[in-house]
Amino acid sequence: MSLIERSAIVPLSLSETWELFNGNELQDLVELSDAVVEVRDYRMRDDGTPEYVMVNQAGPRQVSHRSDFTVFEPPHRAVDRVLDSPLGGTFYTDHEGVEGGTRVSHRWDVEPHGFMKLIWPMMRGSMERNFQTDLDNIVERLQAKSI
């Protein structure tokens, strides 16, 4: 496993931030993110956790994965397994109310499979940079919307 992380302060309240990243069947996130290009097959399971397929832009390619939540505690925390992807693993989301908004922290324990196991060491650094850049761009877009 290989951990990549990102964090930023989103200029919204805790509940608004949760809604941005988890509400509206993730369509608000699709609108603001460069990395998330589509969310499909969204459904809420009987246990109150979502399940969906997310399509991400990864360089020139689009890759998809299914998210299977094991923890879903609005507006603070979620944990989901990244399934059906060459870059699987566990994705941790933490939201904390702070001065100026909400600190959003994402950790992804990446579990590369197949061919990705071989090339992951070469792409890890750029993936981590792009992961953080995407969150930074979301924050900038939110700030521009509020001006």
Side-chain angles (χ1 to χ4, degrees), residues 8-15 17 95-104:
I9 296 177
V10 174
L12 298 172
S13 72
L14 192 57
S15 61
T17 300
H95 292 179
E96 174 189 6
V98 296
E99 187 171 327
T102 301
R103 178 177 308 285
V104 172

Side-chain angles (χ1 to χ4, degrees), residues 18-85:
W18 185 267
E19 187 64 23
L20 171 74
F21 283 93
N22 297 282
N24 190 24
E25 297 186 359
L26 283 79
Q27 296 309 301
D28 296 331
L29 182 59
V30 170
E31 179 184 322
L32 289 169
S33 172
D34 294 324
V36 180
V37 295
E38 182 184 5
V39 173
R40 62 178 180 252
D41 302 331
Y42 187 99
R43 72 179 185 100
M44 288 300 275
R45 298 185 297 200
D46 291 339
D47 66 0
T49 61
E51 182 179 21
Y52 50 82
V53 174
M54 181 177 282
V55 180
N56 295 97
Q57 192 69 41
R61 296 187 52 205
Q62 289 187 352
V63 294
S64 66
H65 70 273
R66 188 167 55 88
S67 291
D68 181 24
F69 285 80
T70 57
V71 175
F72 197 71
E73 299 171 352
H76 298 284
R77 190 174 160 227
V79 178
D80 68 281
R81 294 283 303 153
V82 178
L83 304 174
D84 305 330
S85 170

